[in-house]
Amino acid sequence: MRFQMLILAATAAATAAFAPAMAVPPAHPAAAACHIALPASPDNDSFTAAGRSGGGALAQQTGAAFAAAATHLCGAGVVRPANVARYRSLLVRDAEGATNPNIYDDAEEHPGVLIIEYAFAAASSPPSQAQIEAALRCWRNPHGAGCATVDVGP
């Protein structure tokens, strides 16, 4: 009986020694669950009006940059999956004068669609991840630093 008690005490001590290491939560549990992406499609009318071809390829590149930006900001807690859950897709518009991307929704014209506008004609490439991150920050907080009051929030 005494021998069994010693084994039980030794087992409990060994388990307690390893418990703190096992109880440590992962460094960023929310970041691991964050992946935000929407299928992107071009607003062909806007690309045609701007006299620009290749809207499909630009929409795909913009969609990839959007996914990277949204996922990064999700890990930082700025954008959450619930913020974009109501959207089924990302509509990419070529907009004159929009040298910085603008993100908004228009539930009357395009329900379930998140819209990103950018002046593709003025740039040689789609907006960068950093530019889209800034647009996402303004979408989530239109009155934040660096955001124009015309930015449309959630």
Side-chain angles (χ1 to χ4, degrees), residues 120-153:
F120 290 95
S124 60
S125 61
S128 68
Q129 178 179 334
Q131 288 176 302
I132 294 175
E133 284 184 19
L136 282 166
R137 287 178 187 277
C138 290
W139 174 64
R140 293 301 306 139
N141 182 12
H143 302 291
C147 299
T149 56
V150 296
D151 290 340
V152 180

Side-chain angles (χ1 to χ4, degrees), residues 1 5 52 58-59 97 103 106 126 129 131 154:
M1 178 74 134
M5 296 281 264
R52 186 150 178 94
L58 289 169
I103 296 174
D106 184 346
Q129 178 179 334
Q131 288 176 302

Side-chain angles (χ1 to χ4, degrees), residues 62-152:
T62 302
F66 174 87
T71 299
H72 178 253
L73 291 179
C74 181
V78 175
V79 176
R80 302 198 188 302
N83 300 137
V84 296
R86 65 177 169 232
Y87 303 108
R88 297 181 317 272
S89 63
L90 180 69
L91 182 65
V92 179
R93 284 188 171 159
D94 192 337
E96 292 182 39
T99 55
N100 290 312
N102 186 31
I103 296 174
Y104 64 97
D105 66 11
D106 184 346
E108 290 181 17
E109 186 180 345
H110 297 286
V113 175
L114 192 60
I115 301 167
I116 183 168
E117 290 185 339
Y118 184 67
F120 290 95
S124 60
S125 61
S128 68
Q129 178 179 334
Q131 288 176 302
I132 294 175
E133 284 184 19
L136 282 166
R137 287 178 187 277
C138 290
W139 174 64
R140 293 301 306 139
N141 182 12
H143 302 291
C147 299
T149 56
V150 296
D151 290 340
V152 180

